[in-house]
Amino acid sequence: MSAELGWDGRETLDDVLMSQVADGNASAFEVLARRHMRRALAIAQGVVGNPSDADEIAQEAFMRVWEFAGRWTPGRAQFTTWLHRIVLNLSLDRRRKPQWVAFEAVGEVADDREPSATETVARRERESAIERAMRKIPPRQRAAISLFYFEGLSGKAASDALGISVAAFEQLLLRARRAIKAELATAGLDLQGGMP
Amino acid sequence: MTEKEFRRLSSIYGADISRWPNTVQITAGRWLGDHPEARRDLRAVDEFDRLLIGAAPQIGTERVERIVRRAVVRLAGNGMPQESFAVALAGGRDWRWTSQGAVYLGLFILGCAANTAVRLLSAQTPFDLLFATNISLPLGG
């Protein structure tokens, strides 16, 4: 999950694959897409909220990777940073109002033990409050949450993907966290003792 | 590190100090060691972090595979990846095409020159001369 847990070690292979893609190698494209599609989908869905829109965006992002592979310069930047930027630009450009779907619709998180009815209700309330909050915050704040919390990127990597400074990213993330926390408080789910 | 700075960073990056900027992790760890009361506050921050992480979209393998397939199918209808103009002129990254590209380019230039020469030689009025030298119509009649 974390950017430090595997992405860096794969950059060389990504560079090799991109070089082959630039030569029109469809098999290399397929390998590259299979390696990074999950993350592209997750980032897109984190920003636009709608799974079917996210599917379109992720697919389009990889078509752009194919189309502009010739412009790729190995070593100048990480492939993943380039891909994240494409996915984010496509997601943020989508003018349609985000249609966030209920968490129940995207599958339950696996849990070894059966939760009690109270726990289930409490969890659904929290999920619902987070869902509402995510719907309300601006797309760029959603992008910051998506990159840092959903995808586990470092602040530096996330700011690179968004094309902003680390300081600007920090402000974006701070505002997003505050907005979500305020929504949770409105829903009566205030986190006691939390730092401001 | 001051308490204010510690609070600022935790309110941005959350409770997991290993996810804070590399440059402050050691000093933040020391500060936390010296201020055990801050651990209680971090627990609440951690709870919030977990809520956010738990809201991450669940992307199944089947869905990933479906979109990869769609992209590959769509790819079959597309041409070669776009090259920069200079690279494309040189025959792309695969230099074995360079000689063939040069032959085609040479033939094209020769054709344009021959066409312009014929039109110049057969010009009867000043307008004919003007059109004959119009390189936007090199292959026109």
Side-chain angles (χ1 to χ4, degrees), chain A residues 21-24 29-30 34 37-38 41 45 51 54-55 59-60 63 66-68 70-72 103 126 130 148-150 152-153 170 173-174 177 180 184 191-196, chain B residues 6-8 10-14 19 21 38 41 44-45 47-49 51-53 55-59 63-72 74-75 78-83 93:
Chain A
V21 170
D23 286 339
F29 172 83
E30 193 170 341
R34 198 159 275 125
M37 188 61 85
R38 193 208 63 78
L41 282 165
Q45 192 168 323
D55 288 357
Q59 187 186 329
E60 182 59 32
M63 297 318 294
W66 170 262
E67 192 178 350
F68 298 111
R71 296 182 190 177
W72 169 251
F103 276 76
R126 286 197 300 268
I130 294 260
F148 190 77
Y149 285 102
F150 297 174
L153 265 63
E170 286 182 345
L173 194 57
L174 182 63
R177 282 178 62 106
I180 293 171
L184 291 178
L191 301 170
Q192 296 302 312
M195 290 185 169
Chain B
F6 189 87
R7 282 176 176 273
R8 188 187 78 82
S10 69
S11 64
I12 293 169
Y13 292 106
R19 302 213 54 212
D41 293 335
V45 177
E47 190 186 342
F48 183 52
D49 291 348
L51 280 177
L52 288 174
I53 292 166
Q58 305 296 308
I59 311 293
R63 182 175 166 199
V64 169
E65 194 56 32
R66 191 174 68 245
I67 306 304
V68 169
R69 285 271 129 233
R70 271 195 220 163
V72 170
R74 205 173 136 191
L75 192 76
N78 283 19
M80 288 281 288
Q82 204 175 81
E83 301 276 11
R93 288 170 174 238

Coordinates of all heavy atoms in Angstrom, one line a residue, chain A residues 21-24 29-30 34 37-38 41 45 51 54-55 59-60 63 66-68 70-72 103 126 130 148-150 152-153 170 173-174 177 180 184 191-196, chain B residues 6-8 10-14 19 21 38 41 44-45 47-49 51-53 55-59 63-72 74-75 78-83 93:
Chain A
V21 N 6.8 0.0 -25.1 CA 5.5 0.5 -25.5 C 5.7 1.6 -26.6 O 4.9 1.7 -27.6 CB 4.7 1.1 -24.3 CG1 3.5 1.9 -24.7 CG2 4.3 -0.1 -23.4
A22 N 6.7 2.4 -26.4 CA 7.0 3.5 -27.3 C 7.3 2.9 -28.7 O 7.1 3.6 -29.7 CB 8.2 4.3 -26.8
D23 N 7.8 1.7 -28.8 CA 8.1 1.0 -30.0 C 6.9 0.3 -30.6 O 7.0 -0.4 -31.6 CB 9.3 0.0 -29.8 CG 10.6 0.7 -29.7 OD1 10.7 1.9 -30.1 OD2 11.5 0.1 -29.1
G24 N 5.8 0.5 -29.9 CA 4.5 -0.1 -30.4 C 4.3 -1.6 -30.0 O 3.5 -2.3 -30.6
F29 N 2.6 -3.2 -23.3 CA 1.5 -2.3 -22.8 C 0.6 -3.1 -21.9 O 0.2 -2.6 -20.8 CB 0.7 -1.8 -24.0 CG -0.5 -1.0 -23.7 CD1 -0.5 0.3 -23.3 CD2 -1.8 -1.7 -23.6 CE1 -1.6 1.0 -22.9 CE2 -2.9 -1.0 -23.3 CZ -2.8 0.4 -22.9
E30 N 0.3 -4.3 -22.3 CA -0.7 -5.1 -21.5 C 0.0 -5.4 -20.1 O -0.7 -5.3 -19.1 CB -1.0 -6.4 -22.2 CG -2.1 -7.2 -21.6 CD -2.6 -8.3 -22.4 OE1 -2.3 -8.4 -23.6 OE2 -3.3 -9.2 -21.9
R34 N -1.5 -4.1 -16.6 CA -1.9 -5.0 -15.6 C -1.2 -4.7 -14.2 O -1.7 -4.8 -13.2 CB -1.6 -6.4 -16.0 CG -2.3 -7.5 -15.2 CD -2.3 -8.8 -15.9 NE -3.4 -8.9 -16.9 CZ -3.3 -9.2 -18.1 NH1 -2.2 -9.4 -18.7 NH2 -4.4 -9.3 -18.9
M37 N -3.1 -0.9 -13.3 CA -4.5 -0.5 -13.5 C -5.2 -0.4 -12.2 O -6.1 0.5 -12.0 CB -5.2 -1.6 -14.4 CG -6.6 -1.2 -14.8 SD -6.6 0.3 -15.8 CE -6.3 -0.3 -17.4
R38 N -4.9 -1.3 -11.2 CA -5.7 -1.2 -9.9 C -5.5 0.2 -9.3 O -6.5 0.8 -8.8 CB -5.2 -2.3 -9.0 CG -6.1 -2.5 -7.7 CD -5.3 -3.0 -6.5 NE -4.3 -2.1 -6.1 CZ -4.6 -1.0 -5.4 NH1 -5.9 -0.7 -5.0 NH2 -3.6 -0.1 -5.0
L41 N -7.4 2.9 -11.2 CA -8.8 2.8 -10.9 C -9.1 3.4 -9.5 O -10.1 4.1 -9.3 CB -9.3 1.3 -10.9 CG -9.5 0.7 -12.3 CD1 -9.6 -0.8 -12.2 CD2 -10.8 1.3 -12.9
Q45 N -11.4 6.6 -8.8 CA -12.6 6.4 -8.1 C -12.6 7.3 -6.8 O -13.6 7.8 -6.4 CB -12.9 5.0 -7.7 CG -14.3 4.7 -7.2 CD -14.6 3.3 -7.1 OE1 -14.3 2.5 -8.0 NE2 -15.3 2.9 -6.1
P51 N -17.8 4.4 -9.7 CA -17.0 3.3 -10.3 C -17.0 3.3 -11.8 O -15.9 3.0 -12.4 CB -17.6 2.0 -9.7 CG -18.3 2.4 -8.5 CD -18.8 3.8 -8.8
A54 N -14.8 6.0 -13.1 CA -13.5 5.6 -12.8 C -12.9 4.6 -13.8 O -11.8 4.7 -14.2 CB -13.3 5.0 -11.4
D55 N -13.8 3.6 -14.2 CA -13.4 2.7 -15.2 C -13.0 3.4 -16.5 O -12.0 3.1 -17.1 CB -14.5 1.7 -15.5 CG -14.7 0.7 -14.3 OD1 -14.0 0.8 -13.4 OD2 -15.7 -0.1 -14.4
Q59 N -9.1 3.6 -18.1 CA -8.9 3.1 -19.4 C -8.3 4.2 -20.3 O -7.4 4.0 -21.1 CB -10.2 2.6 -20.0 CG -10.1 1.8 -21.4 CD -11.4 1.5 -22.0 OE1 -12.4 1.2 -21.2 NE2 -11.5 1.5 -23.3
E60 N -8.9 5.4 -20.3 CA -8.5 6.5 -21.1 C -7.0 6.9 -20.7 O -6.2 7.2 -21.6 CB -9.4 7.7 -20.9 CG -9.1 8.9 -21.7 CD -9.1 8.7 -23.2 OE1 -9.9 7.8 -23.6 OE2 -8.3 9.3 -23.9
M63 N -4.8 4.6 -22.5 CA -4.7 4.9 -23.9 C -3.8 6.1 -24.1 O -3.0 6.1 -25.1 CB -6.1 5.3 -24.5 CG -7.1 4.1 -24.4 SD -6.5 2.5 -24.8 CE -6.1 2.7 -26.5
W66 N -0.2 4.9 -24.0 CA 0.1 4.3 -25.3 C 0.4 5.4 -26.3 O 1.4 5.4 -27.0 CB -1.0 3.4 -25.8 CG -0.9 2.9 -27.2 CD1 -1.5 3.5 -28.3 CD2 -0.1 1.8 -27.7 NE1 -1.1 2.8 -29.4 CE2 -0.3 1.7 -29.0 CE3 0.8 0.9 -27.0 CZ2 0.4 0.8 -29.8 CZ3 1.4 -0.1 -27.8 CH2 1.2 -0.1 -29.2
E67 N -0.5 6.4 -26.4 CA -0.4 7.4 -27.4 C 0.9 8.3 -27.3 O 1.5 8.6 -28.2 CB -1.7 8.3 -27.3 CG -1.8 9.2 -28.5 CD -3.1 10.1 -28.4 OE1 -3.9 9.8 -27.5 OE2 -3.2 11.0 -29.2
F68 N 1.2 8.6 -26.0 CA 2.3 9.5 -25.8 C 3.6 8.8 -25.2 O 4.4 9.5 -24.7 CB 1.9 10.6 -24.9 CG 0.7 11.5 -25.4 CD1 -0.5 11.4 -24.9 CD2 1.0 12.3 -26.6 CE1 -1.6 12.1 -25.4 CE2 -0.1 13.0 -27.1 CZ -1.3 12.9 -26.6
G70 N 6.0 7.8 -26.7 CA 7.2 8.3 -27.4 C 7.8 9.5 -26.7 O 9.0 9.8 -26.9
R71 N 7.0 10.2 -25.9 CA 7.5 11.4 -25.2 C 8.1 11.0 -23.9 O 8.6 11.9 -23.2 CB 6.3 12.4 -25.0 CG 5.8 12.9 -26.3 CD 4.7 13.9 -26.1 NE 4.0 14.2 -27.3 CZ 3.0 15.0 -27.4 NH1 2.5 15.6 -26.3 NH2 2.4 15.3 -28.5
W72 N 8.0 9.8 -23.5 CA 8.4 9.4 -22.1 C 10.0 9.3 -22.1 O 10.6 8.8 -23.0 CB 7.9 8.0 -21.8 CG 8.6 7.3 -20.6 CD1 9.5 6.3 -20.6 CD2 8.4 7.7 -19.3 NE1 9.8 6.0 -19.4 CE2 9.2 6.9 -18.5 CE3 7.6 8.7 -18.6 CZ2 9.3 7.0 -17.1 CZ3 7.7 8.8 -17.3 CH2 8.5 7.9 -16.5
F103 N -21.2 2.7 0.2 CA -20.1 1.8 0.4 C -20.6 0.3 0.2 O -19.9 -0.5 -0.2 CB -19.5 2.0 1.8 CG -18.5 3.0 1.8 CD1 -18.9 4.4 1.8 CD2 -17.2 2.8 1.8 CE1 -18.0 5.4 1.8 CE2 -16.2 3.8 1.8 CZ -16.7 5.1 1.8
R126 N -20.5 5.6 10.4 CA -19.2 6.2 10.1 C -19.0 6.3 8.6 O -18.6 7.3 8.0 CB -18.1 5.5 10.8 CG -18.0 5.7 12.3 CD -16.7 5.3 12.8 NE -16.4 3.9 12.6 CZ -16.7 2.9 13.4 NH1 -17.3 3.2 14.6 NH2 -16.4 1.7 13.1
I130 N -18.5 9.6 6.3 CA -17.3 9.8 5.4 C -17.7 10.0 4.0 O -17.2 10.9 3.3 CB -16.3 8.6 5.5 CG1 -15.8 8.5 7.0 CG2 -15.2 8.7 4.5 CD1 -14.4 9.0 7.2
F148 N -3.0 10.2 -0.6 CA -2.3 10.0 0.7 C -2.8 8.8 1.5 O -2.1 8.0 2.0 CB -2.3 11.3 1.5 CG -1.3 11.2 2.7 CD1 0.0 11.4 2.5 CD2 -1.8 11.0 4.0 CE1 0.9 11.3 3.6 CE2 -0.9 11.0 5.0 CZ 0.4 11.1 4.9
Y149 N -4.1 8.8 1.6 CA -4.7 7.8 2.5 C -5.2 6.5 1.8 O -5.0 5.4 2.3 CB -5.9 8.4 3.3 CG -5.5 9.3 4.4 CD1 -5.5 10.7 4.2 CD2 -5.0 8.8 5.6 CE1 -5.1 11.5 5.2 CE2 -4.5 9.6 6.5 CZ -4.6 11.0 6.3 OH -4.1 11.8 7.3
F150 N -5.8 6.7 0.6 CA -6.2 5.5 -0.1 C -5.1 4.7 -0.7 O -5.0 3.5 -0.7 CB -7.3 5.8 -1.1 CG -8.5 6.4 -0.6 CD1 -9.5 6.9 -1.5 CD2 -8.8 6.5 0.7 CE1 -10.7 7.5 -1.0 CE2 -10.0 7.1 1.2 CZ -10.9 7.6 0.3
G152 N -1.7 5.5 -0.2 CA -0.5 5.4 0.7 C 0.7 6.1 0.1 O 1.9 5.8 0.5
L153 N 0.6 7.1 -0.8 CA 1.7 7.8 -1.3 C 2.3 8.7 -0.2 O 1.5 9.2 0.7 CB 1.3 8.7 -2.5 CG 1.5 8.1 -3.9 CD1 0.7 6.8 -4.1 CD2 1.2 9.1 -5.0
E170 N 0.1 20.1 1.6 CA -0.2 20.0 3.1 C -1.5 20.8 3.4 O -2.3 20.4 4.2 CB 1.0 20.6 3.9 CG 2.2 19.6 3.9 CD 3.3 20.1 4.8 OE1 3.3 21.3 5.1 OE2 4.2 19.3 5.1
L173 N -4.5 18.9 2.1 CA -4.8 17.7 2.9 C -5.4 18.2 4.3 O -6.3 17.5 4.8 CB -3.5 16.9 3.2 CG -3.6 15.5 3.7 CD1 -4.5 14.6 2.9 CD2 -2.2 14.8 3.9
L174 N -4.8 19.2 4.8 CA -5.3 19.8 6.1 C -6.8 20.2 6.0 O -7.6 19.9 6.8 CB -4.4 21.0 6.5 CG -4.8 21.6 7.9 CD1 -4.6 20.6 9.0 CD2 -3.9 22.8 8.1
R177 N -9.0 17.1 5.6 CA -9.2 16.4 6.9 C -10.2 17.2 7.8 O -11.0 16.6 8.4 CB -7.9 16.2 7.6 CG -7.0 15.1 7.1 CD -5.7 15.0 7.8 NE -5.9 14.8 9.2 CZ -5.6 13.6 9.8 NH1 -5.1 12.6 9.1 NH2 -5.8 13.4 11.1
I180 N -13.8 16.9 6.5 CA -14.3 15.5 6.8 C -14.6 15.4 8.3 O -15.7 14.9 8.7 CB -13.4 14.4 6.3 CG1 -13.3 14.5 4.8 CG2 -13.8 13.1 6.8 CD1 -12.2 13.6 4.2
L184 N -18.2 14.6 10.2 CA -18.3 13.6 11.2 C -18.9 14.1 12.4 O -19.8 13.5 13.1 CB -17.0 12.9 11.5 CG -16.4 12.0 10.4 CD1 -15.0 11.5 10.8 CD2 -17.3 10.9 10.0
L191 N -14.6 12.8 17.1 CA -13.5 12.0 17.7 C -13.0 12.7 18.9 O -12.4 13.7 18.8 CB -12.4 11.7 16.6 CG -12.9 11.0 15.4 CD1 -11.8 11.1 14.3 CD2 -13.3 9.6 15.7
Q192 N -13.2 12.1 20.1 CA -12.8 12.8 21.3 C -11.3 12.9 21.4 O -10.5 12.0 21.1 CB -13.3 12.0 22.5 CG -14.8 11.9 22.6 CD -15.5 13.3 22.6 OE1 -15.1 14.2 23.4 NE2 -16.5 13.5 21.8
G193 N -10.9 14.1 21.9 CA -9.5 14.3 22.2 C -8.6 14.5 21.1 O -7.4 14.5 21.2
G194 N -9.1 14.6 19.9 CA -8.3 14.7 18.7 C -7.6 16.0 18.6 O -8.0 17.0 19.2
M195 N -6.4 16.0 18.0 CA -5.7 17.2 17.8 C -6.4 18.1 16.8 O -7.0 17.6 15.9 CB -4.3 16.9 17.3 CG -3.4 16.2 18.4 SD -1.8 16.0 17.9 CE -1.0 15.5 19.4
P196 N -6.4 19.4 17.0 CA -7.1 20.3 16.1 C -6.5 20.2 14.7 O -5.4 19.9 14.5 CB -6.9 21.6 16.7 CG -5.7 21.5 17.5 CD -5.6 20.1 18.0
Chain B
F6 N 4.4 19.9 16.3 CA 4.0 18.5 16.3 C 2.5 18.4 16.0 O 2.1 17.5 15.2 CB 4.3 18.0 17.7 CG 4.1 16.5 17.8 CD1 5.1 15.6 17.5 CD2 2.9 15.9 18.2 CE1 5.0 14.2 17.6 CE2 2.7 14.6 18.3 CZ 3.7 13.7 18.0
R7 N 1.7 19.3 16.6 CA 0.3 19.3 16.4 C -0.1 19.6 14.9 O -0.9 18.9 14.3 CB -0.4 20.3 17.2 CG -0.6 19.8 18.7 CD -1.2 20.9 19.5 NE -1.5 20.4 20.9 CZ -2.6 19.8 21.3 NH1 -3.5 19.6 20.4 NH2 -2.7 19.4 22.5
R8 N 0.7 20.5 14.3 CA 0.4 20.9 12.9 C 0.7 19.7 12.0 O -0.1 19.3 11.2 CB 1.4 22.0 12.5 CG 1.1 22.6 11.1 CD 2.1 23.6 10.7 NE 3.3 23.0 10.2 CZ 3.5 22.5 9.0 NH1 2.6 22.6 8.1 NH2 4.6 21.9 8.7
S10 N 0.7 16.5 12.8 CA -0.2 15.4 13.1 C -1.6 15.7 12.5 O -2.3 14.8 12.0 CB -0.3 15.0 14.6 OG -1.0 16.1 15.2
S11 N -1.9 17.0 12.4 CA -3.2 17.3 11.8 C -3.2 17.2 10.3 O -4.2 17.1 9.7 CB -3.7 18.7 12.3 OG -2.8 19.7 11.8
I12 N -2.0 17.2 9.7 CA -1.9 17.1 8.3 C -1.7 15.6 7.9 O -2.4 15.0 7.1 CB -0.7 17.9 7.7 CG1 -1.0 19.4 7.9 CG2 -0.4 17.6 6.3 CD1 0.2 20.3 7.7
Y13 N -0.6 15.0 8.5 CA -0.2 13.7 8.0 C -0.7 12.6 8.9 O -0.5 11.4 8.6 CB 1.3 13.6 8.0 CG 2.0 14.5 7.0 CD1 2.6 15.7 7.3 CD2 1.9 14.2 5.6 CE1 3.2 16.5 6.4 CE2 2.5 15.0 4.7 CZ 3.1 16.1 5.0 OH 3.6 16.9 4.1
G14 N -1.4 12.9 10.0 CA -2.0 11.8 10.8 C -1.1 11.3 11.9 O 0.0 11.9 12.2
R19 N 4.9 8.3 8.3 CA 4.4 8.9 7.0 C 4.6 10.4 7.0 O 4.2 11.0 6.0 CB 2.9 8.5 6.9 CG 2.7 7.0 6.9 CD 1.5 6.6 6.1 NE 1.7 7.1 4.7 CZ 0.6 7.5 3.9 NH1 -0.6 7.4 4.4 NH2 0.8 7.9 2.7
P21 N 7.0 13.9 6.7 CA 8.2 14.1 5.9 C 9.5 13.5 6.6 O 9.6 13.6 7.8 CB 8.3 15.6 5.8 CG 6.9 16.1 6.0 CD 6.3 15.1 7.0
A38 N 1.1 13.2 24.8 CA 0.7 13.5 23.4 C 0.2 12.2 22.7 O -0.5 12.2 21.7 CB 1.9 14.1 22.6
D41 N -3.5 11.9 22.5 CA -4.1 12.7 21.4 C -3.9 12.0 20.1 O -4.7 12.0 19.2 CB -3.4 14.1 21.4 CG -3.8 14.9 22.6 OD1 -4.9 14.7 23.2 OD2 -3.0 15.8 22.9
A44 N -6.5 9.4 19.1 CA -7.7 9.9 18.4 C -7.4 10.2 16.9 O -8.3 10.0 16.1 CB -8.2 11.1 19.1
V45 N -6.2 10.8 16.7 CA -5.9 11.1 15.3 C -5.8 9.7 14.5 O -6.2 9.7 13.4 CB -4.5 11.8 15.3 CG1 -4.1 12.0 13.8 CG2 -4.6 13.1 16.0
E47 N -7.4 7.1 15.1 CA -8.8 6.6 14.8 C -9.4 7.2 13.6 O -10.0 6.6 12.7 CB -9.7 6.9 16.0 CG -11.0 6.2 16.0 CD -11.9 6.7 17.1 OE1 -11.4 7.3 18.1 OE2 -13.2 6.5 17.0
F48 N -9.1 8.5 13.4 CA -9.6 9.2 12.2 C -8.9 8.7 11.0 O -9.5 8.5 9.9 CB -9.4 10.7 12.4 CG -9.9 11.6 11.3 CD1 -11.2 11.5 10.9 CD2 -9.1 12.5 10.7 CE1 -11.7 12.3 9.8 CE2 -9.5 13.3 9.7 CZ -10.8 13.2 9.3
D49 N -7.6 8.5 11.1 CA -6.8 8.0 10.0 C -7.4 6.7 9.5 O -7.5 6.4 8.3 CB -5.3 7.7 10.4 CG -4.5 9.0 10.7 OD1 -5.0 10.1 10.3 OD2 -3.4 8.8 11.2
L51 N -10.4 5.6 9.8 CA -11.7 5.8 9.1 C -11.4 6.2 7.7 O -12.1 5.7 6.7 CB -12.5 6.9 9.8 CG -13.2 6.6 11.1 CD1 -13.9 7.8 11.6 CD2 -14.3 5.5 10.7
L52 N -10.5 7.1 7.5 CA -10.2 7.6 6.1 C -9.6 6.4 5.2 O -10.1 6.2 4.1 CB -9.1 8.7 6.1 CG -9.6 10.0 6.7 CD1 -8.5 11.0 6.8 CD2 -10.7 10.6 5.8
I53 N -8.7 5.7 5.8 CA -8.1 4.6 5.1 C -9.2 3.5 4.7 O -9.2 3.0 3.6 CB -6.9 3.9 5.9 CG1 -5.8 4.9 5.9 CG2 -6.5 2.6 5.2 CD1 -4.7 4.6 6.9
A55 N -12.1 4.1 4.0 CA -13.0 4.5 3.0 C -12.5 4.3 1.6 O -13.1 4.7 0.6 CB -13.3 6.0 3.2
A56 N -11.3 3.8 1.5 CA -10.6 3.5 0.2 C -11.5 2.6 -0.6 O -12.0 1.6 -0.1 CB -9.2 2.9 0.4
P57 N -11.6 2.9 -1.9 CA -12.4 2.1 -2.8 C -11.8 0.7 -2.9 O -10.6 0.5 -2.9 CB -12.3 2.8 -4.2 CG -11.8 4.1 -3.9 CD -11.0 4.1 -2.7
Q58 N -12.7 -0.3 -2.9 CA -12.2 -1.7 -3.0 C -12.2 -2.1 -4.5 O -13.2 -2.0 -5.1 CB -13.1 -2.7 -2.3 CG -13.3 -2.3 -0.8 CD -12.0 -2.4 0.0 OE1 -11.3 -3.4 0.0 NE2 -11.7 -1.3 0.7
I59 N -11.0 -2.3 -5.0 CA -10.9 -2.6 -6.5 C -10.6 -4.1 -6.6 O -9.5 -4.6 -6.3 CB -9.8 -1.8 -7.1 CG1 -9.9 -0.3 -6.8 CG2 -9.8 -2.0 -8.6 CD1 -11.1 0.4 -7.3
R63 N -12.3 -6.8 -11.9 CA -12.6 -5.4 -12.4 C -11.3 -4.9 -13.1 O -11.4 -4.4 -14.2 CB -13.0 -4.5 -11.3 CG -13.3 -3.1 -11.8 CD -13.9 -2.2 -10.7 NE -13.9 -0.8 -11.1 CZ -13.9 0.2 -10.2 NH1 -14.0 -0.1 -8.9 NH2 -14.0 1.4 -10.6
V64 N -10.2 -5.1 -12.5 CA -8.9 -4.7 -13.1 C -8.7 -5.4 -14.4 O -8.4 -4.8 -15.4 CB -7.7 -5.0 -12.1 CG1 -6.4 -4.8 -12.8 CG2 -7.8 -4.1 -10.8
E65 N -8.9 -6.7 -14.4 CA -8.7 -7.5 -15.6 C -9.7 -7.0 -16.7 O -9.3 -7.0 -17.9 CB -9.0 -9.0 -15.2 CG -8.5 -9.9 -16.3 CD -7.0 -9.8 -16.6 OE1 -6.2 -9.4 -15.7 OE2 -6.6 -10.0 -17.8
R66 N -10.9 -6.7 -16.3 CA -11.9 -6.3 -17.3 C -11.4 -5.0 -18.0 O -11.5 -4.8 -19.3 CB -13.2 -6.1 -16.7 CG -14.4 -5.9 -17.6 CD -15.7 -5.8 -16.9 NE -15.9 -4.6 -16.1 CZ -16.0 -4.6 -14.8 NH1 -16.0 -5.7 -14.1 NH2 -16.2 -3.5 -14.1
I67 N -10.9 -4.0 -17.2 CA -10.5 -2.8 -17.8 C -9.2 -2.9 -18.6 O -9.1 -2.3 -19.7 CB -10.3 -1.7 -16.7 CG1 -11.6 -1.6 -15.9 CG2 -10.0 -0.3 -17.3 CD1 -12.8 -1.3 -16.6
V68 N -8.3 -3.8 -18.2 CA -7.1 -4.1 -19.0 C -7.5 -4.6 -20.3 O -7.0 -4.2 -21.4 CB -6.2 -5.0 -18.2 CG1 -5.0 -5.5 -19.1 CG2 -5.6 -4.4 -17.0
R69 N -8.4 -5.6 -20.3 CA -8.9 -6.2 -21.6 C -9.5 -5.2 -22.5 O -9.2 -5.1 -23.7 CB -10.0 -7.3 -21.3 CG -9.4 -8.5 -20.7 CD -9.1 -9.5 -21.8 NE -7.7 -10.0 -21.6 CZ -6.7 -9.9 -22.4 NH1 -6.9 -9.5 -23.7 NH2 -5.5 -10.4 -22.1
R70 N -10.3 -4.3 -21.9 CA -11.0 -3.2 -22.7 C -9.9 -2.4 -23.4 O -10.0 -2.0 -24.5 CB -11.9 -2.4 -21.8 CG -13.3 -2.9 -21.7 CD -14.1 -1.7 -21.2 NE -15.1 -2.3 -20.2 CZ -15.7 -1.5 -19.3 NH1 -15.5 -0.3 -19.2 NH2 -16.6 -2.1 -18.5
A71 N -8.9 -2.0 -22.6 CA -7.8 -1.1 -23.1 C -7.1 -1.8 -24.2 O -6.7 -1.2 -25.2 CB -6.9 -0.7 -22.0
V72 N -6.8 -3.1 -24.0 CA -6.0 -3.8 -25.0 C -6.8 -3.9 -26.3 O -6.3 -3.8 -27.4 CB -5.6 -5.2 -24.5 CG1 -5.1 -6.1 -25.6 CG2 -4.6 -5.1 -23.4
R74 N -9.2 -1.9 -27.3 CA -9.2 -0.5 -27.9 C -7.9 -0.2 -28.6 O -7.9 0.5 -29.6 CB -9.5 0.5 -26.8 CG -10.1 1.7 -27.3 CD -10.5 2.6 -26.2 NE -10.2 4.0 -26.5 CZ -10.2 5.0 -25.6 NH1 -10.6 4.7 -24.4 NH2 -9.9 6.2 -25.9
L75 N -6.8 -0.7 -28.0 CA -5.5 -0.5 -28.6 C -5.4 -1.0 -30.0 O -4.7 -0.4 -30.8 CB -4.5 -1.2 -27.7 CG -3.0 -0.9 -27.8 CD1 -2.8 0.5 -27.2 CD2 -2.2 -1.9 -27.2
N78 N -6.1 1.3 -32.6 CA -5.2 2.5 -32.7 C -4.0 2.2 -33.4 O -3.6 1.1 -33.6 CB -4.9 3.0 -31.2 CG -6.0 3.7 -30.6 OD1 -7.2 3.6 -31.0 ND2 -5.7 4.5 -29.6
G79 N -3.3 3.3 -33.8 CA -2.0 3.1 -34.5 C -0.9 3.0 -33.6 O -1.0 2.7 -32.4
M80 N 0.3 3.3 -34.1 CA 1.5 3.3 -33.3 C 1.5 4.4 -32.3 O 0.8 5.4 -32.5 CB 2.7 3.4 -34.2 CG 3.0 2.2 -35.0 SD 3.9 1.0 -34.0 CE 5.5 1.7 -33.8
P81 N 2.2 4.3 -31.2 CA 2.3 5.5 -30.3 C 2.9 6.7 -31.0 O 3.7 6.5 -31.9 CB 3.3 5.0 -29.2 CG 3.2 3.5 -29.3 CD 2.9 3.2 -30.7
Q82 N 2.4 7.9 -30.5 CA 2.9 9.1 -31.1 C 4.3 9.4 -30.8 O 4.7 9.3 -29.6 CB 2.0 10.2 -30.6 CG 1.9 11.4 -31.4 CD 0.9 12.4 -30.8 OE1 1.3 13.1 -29.9 NE2 -0.3 12.4 -31.2
E83 N 5.1 9.7 -31.8 CA 6.5 10.1 -31.5 C 6.6 11.6 -31.6 O 5.7 12.3 -32.1 CB 7.4 9.6 -32.6 CG 7.4 8.1 -32.7 CD 8.3 7.4 -31.7 OE1 8.8 8.1 -30.8 OE2 8.5 6.2 -31.8
R93 N 12.0 5.3 -32.8 CA 13.1 4.9 -32.0 C 13.8 3.7 -32.6 O 15.0 3.4 -32.3 CB 12.6 4.5 -30.6 CG 12.1 5.6 -29.8 CD 11.4 5.2 -28.6 NE 11.1 6.3 -27.8 CZ 11.5 6.5 -26.6 NH1 12.1 5.5 -26.0 NH2 11.2 7.5 -25.9

